[in-house]
Amino acid sequence: MTKIGLEIHCQLTKLESKLFCSCKADYREFKPNTNICPVCVGLPGSLPRLNKKAIEKATVIAMALNCKTPQKIAFFRKNYFYPDLPKNFQITQLNIYGPTSIGQEGKISVEGKEIQIRRIQLEEDPGRLIYEGSSERTQITLVDYNRAGTPLVEIVTDPDFENPKQVRIFLNILSDLLENLGVSDPSLEGAMRADANVSIEGGAKVEIKNINSFYDLEKALHFELTRQQSLAERKIEIIQETRHWDDKRKITISARSKEEEEDYRYFLEGDIPWVVIELDIISRLKKGMPESISSKRERYIKDFDITSQVADVLSSDKFYSDLFEQAHDQKNAKEIANLITTDLMGFADTKEKRKESKLTAKHLADLANSIIENKITRNSSKNVLQTIVKSGKSVSQLISELDLGHVSDEAELSKIIDEVLKDESMAVEDAKQKPETINYLVGKVMKKTKGKADATLTLNLLKKKLA
Ligand SMILES: [Zn+2]
């Protein structure tokens, strides 16, 4: 049986400062090695100062993943040498004196299957190595410590996944959840990374590291499972090891035999005292938690009669569900949800386009109301929406500018229909014999009015005139 477990590293990108100093947590805008101080590069004599907000955000993640949160947390030093780790140890958490990491024993449901979250720990991100060319062939490796000390939450699952697809769905759910909590922006480069351990029946556990995108993770898992199965078929032993994902060649390559936990010589971080998390802090954090995606989804379906498909898409996208919340009232909610999911998400899809978009909640409400009040057809609303995103012009201005006014005036429409009936005498005879061909005439009226005619009214008038 295939068993896959995950270790997901997620940066708390919404925090102002790093985990143990006041350097910026968002290091991305800085030139290499300019967002650093004696603490984050571990100069002798520097002392860490724990970021209280990081503990709060990590605790919120733990609660959202249904974890138990301990009353006391402790930090440990994990000792190893690597050029991106200037202190030669990483400050992290370990549950050696009982459950002292930020959360444990959580669970999350993936298409009906429950995935157990073993533990969640808060730790510092190391620096970043930059290779010239590929990591395999490079002559030069550069190191940038701007990232060193960025608050990182590690989420460890049990080996509960049975296939790579489940892993991908889980990561999408997790990424939406973290974004919805307002703790992280998973779309930022390197904000969410995953390592995986993979084993098949009778084989040792192989760890795959270095995977930067969910897409690559799925590919890496497929590759690794095929490799292990092929070894097993040839009766070659699968050894316990760490393998790196080479995203240029799309294969995993042996990196080193896996260290045991005891190789890291963990010991308590003496510079940071144990932290007591009082119950009133927990209840304050719980109260401040945003509505979960699943409860939002249920509410949209129940309160506004939104289809489950639309509710799925809308609730899991924080940007657009926030916009929906600002824009809707009881009457136009369903129309706004449809406008967002069927049209808007199509042309304002990337982060950049969303940022540049000039559309406001008021635009959405006005547009939905115009559709409901028959001032504009659903058909032409797409065009209006697209123009608003670019120009920010008001809905009423665009309806007149683009000449989109809805023809729902009976007298006016009747006149147009009469003209069509005169031109289409053959089709009129057909429609009298075979009523199902009436749609041809509806189409002609639509064409004549450039899609502005009210479809129901057109059909009713046509039927009356042909009777
Ligand atoms: Zn610093």
Side-chain angles (χ1 to χ4, degrees):
M1 201 176 93
T2 300
K3 282 184 175 175
I4 304 169
L6 295 178
E7 286 177 17
I8 304 118
H9 287 100
C10 169
Q11 292 178 339
L12 302 176
T13 64
K14 301 281 174 170
L15 283 175
E16 276 297 306
S17 51
K18 289 184 179 177
L19 190 50
F20 301 116
C21 64
S22 56
C23 295
K24 288 258 184 263
D26 187 4
Y27 53 87
R28 288 173 179 81
E29 70 215 62
F30 290 91
K31 285 190 178 143
N33 297 308
T34 58
N35 180 41
I36 55 175
C37 74
V39 174
C40 52
V41 293
L43 293 190
S46 62
L47 286 170
R49 253 178 46 201
L50 186 57
N51 181 346
K52 198 171 120 191
K53 283 263 169 359
I55 297 196
E56 295 190 354
K57 298 270 185 209
T59 301
V60 165
I61 295 176
M63 292 193 293
L65 293 173
N66 308 299
C67 287
K68 293 179 186 158
T69 53
Q71 276 185 296
K72 269 172 147 188
I73 61 165
F75 286 91
F76 289 78
R77 288 188 184 183
K78 180 182 182 180
N79 297 283
Y80 65 100
F81 168 80
Y82 206 64
D84 64 6
L85 193 71
K87 295 200 292 263
N88 287 346
F89 61 85
Q90 180 194 29
I91 304 179
T92 179
Q93 296 195 291
L94 187 71
N95 288 321
I96 198 165
Y97 301 133
T100 61
S101 75
I102 210 92
Q104 31 264 318
E105 292 176 51
K107 56 178 184 292
I108 183 166
S109 167
V110 176
E111 294 193 317
K113 183 180 167 60
E114 219 147 71
I115 304 295
Q116 302 298 318
I117 310 286
R118 193 175 287 173
R119 65 169 187 278
I120 298 179
Q121 61 200 49
L122 182 59
E123 60 189 32
E124 55 181 339
D125 211 353
R128 223 157 54 93
L129 296 182
I130 298 147
Y131 305 101
E132 216 170 64
S134 77
S135 63
E136 286 303 294
R137 303 215 185 117
T138 187
Q139 299 286 321
I140 294 172
T141 304
L142 301 163
V143 61
D144 175 9
Y145 290 123
N146 283 349
R147 193 176 78 177
T150 294
L152 200 62
V153 164
E154 180 174 330
I155 300 167
V156 183
T157 77
D158 279 345
D160 289 343
F161 300 95
E162 290 155 358
N163 57 56
K165 189 183 160 213
Q166 266 176 8
V167 170
R168 175 170 40 92
I169 296 168
F170 169 83
L171 289 172
N172 285 334
I173 293 174
L174 183 63
S175 148
D176 290 341
L177 179 143
L178 293 169
E179 192 168 17
N180 185 56
L181 287 175
V183 295
S184 183
D185 179 354
S187 71
L188 291 174
E189 188 267 324
M192 217 174 149
R193 289 130 36 201
D195 299 341
N197 51 71
V198 185
S199 65
I200 59 167
E201 189 90 58
K205 197 167 78 176
V206 173
E207 196 167 358
I208 323 174
K209 282 188 175 287
N210 239 11
I211 314 165
N212 277 323
S213 76
F214 299 169
Y215 175 77
D216 271 1
L217 178 61
E218 203 180 352
K219 279 216 151 13
L221 290 173
H222 277 299
F223 176 87
E224 186 54 28
L225 285 170
T226 311
R227 188 189 71 88
Q228 292 187 15
Q229 273 146 10
S230 145
L231 288 175
E233 275 162 24
R234 288 178 286 149
K235 307 254 183 295
I236 301 171
E237 189 194 355
I238 300 164
I239 51 165
Q240 180 171 342
E241 62 176 342
T242 298
R243 300 179 70 87
H244 277 183
W245 171 243
D246 183 330
D247 65 354
K248 296 220 168 60
R249 288 186 285 166
K250 308 287 176 208
I251 54 171
T252 65
I253 39 179
S254 182
R256 55 188 148 101
S257 59
K258 170 99 179 89
E259 299 89 349
E260 298 296 327
E261 281 294 276
E262 47 270 30
D263 295 335
Y264 289 116
R265 306 293 300 267
Y266 282 94
F267 56 85
L268 261 177
E269 169 58 77
D271 290 335
I272 302 172
W274 287 61
V275 180
V276 177
I277 306 179
E278 305 282 0
L279 282 175
D280 60 337
I281 295 180
I282 296 284
S283 64
R284 170 170 65 79
L285 292 175
K286 211 170 252 172
K287 260 186 222 146
M289 272 168 80
E291 185 182 16
S292 75
I293 291 173
S294 58
S295 119
K296 235 186 250 180
R297 181 183 176 278
E298 295 311 312
R299 183 164 59 83
Y300 292 168
I301 295 172
K302 194 169 145 272
D303 291 0
F304 309 124
D305 190 30
I306 290 172
T307 65
S308 64
Q309 245 173 331
V310 169
D312 263 346
V313 177
L314 187 60
S315 61
S316 57
D317 188 309
K318 182 169 165 54
F319 179 84
Y320 280 124
S321 63
D322 283 353
L323 192 62
F324 171 78
E325 297 294 344
Q326 290 166 36
H328 83 276
D329 60 27
Q330 190 60 36
K331 211 175 95 214
N332 62 20
K334 190 172 180 167
E335 194 60 59
I336 291 179
N338 288 337
L339 282 171
I340 292 177
T341 52
T342 51
D343 297 331
L344 193 54
M345 281 179 168
F347 43 76
D349 48 353
T350 64
K351 211 173 142 191
E352 289 72 31
K353 284 187 196 160
R354 289 175 179 198
K355 214 171 166 180
E356 282 166 16
S357 164
K358 295 200 164 65
L359 177 109
T360 62
K362 185 175 183 309
H363 282 125
L364 268 179
D366 287 350
L367 188 56
N369 293 339
S370 302
I371 297 171
I372 293 167
E373 289 157 17
N374 274 330
K375 288 183 190 152
I376 180 176
T377 61
R378 183 71 182 76
N379 233 352
S380 34
S381 70
K382 188 171 179 169
N383 192 8
V384 173
L385 203 54
Q386 203 155 11
T387 316
I388 294 172
V389 167
K390 285 190 203 126
S391 69
K393 285 183 184 169
S394 77
V395 173
S396 56
Q397 192 183 350
L398 283 172
I399 290 179
S400 75
E401 257 180 41
L402 300 171
D403 188 23
L404 295 171
H406 195 190
V407 185
S408 59
D409 178 67
E410 195 168 330
E412 192 185 345
L413 200 53
S414 178
K415 223 171 82 192
I416 298 168
I417 292 175
D418 285 342
E419 285 166 28
V420 170
L421 294 181
K422 219 170 107 193
D423 296 345
E424 301 284 341
S425 51
M426 291 274 281
V428 170
E429 286 313 308
D430 280 352
K432 280 181 181 162
Q433 307 294 326
K434 289 178 265 173
E436 66 272 19
T437 62
I438 200 167
N439 281 336
Y440 173 82
L441 290 169
V442 175
K444 285 287 165 194
V445 175
M446 282 298 170
K447 199 173 168 198
K448 209 173 172 91
T449 58
K450 292 181 193 135
K452 293 188 289 179
D454 183 298
T456 319
L457 185 60
T458 304
L459 187 65
N460 287 342
L461 285 174
L462 267 170
K463 276 183 184 163
K464 228 189 266 171
K465 285 175 195 287
L466 293 176

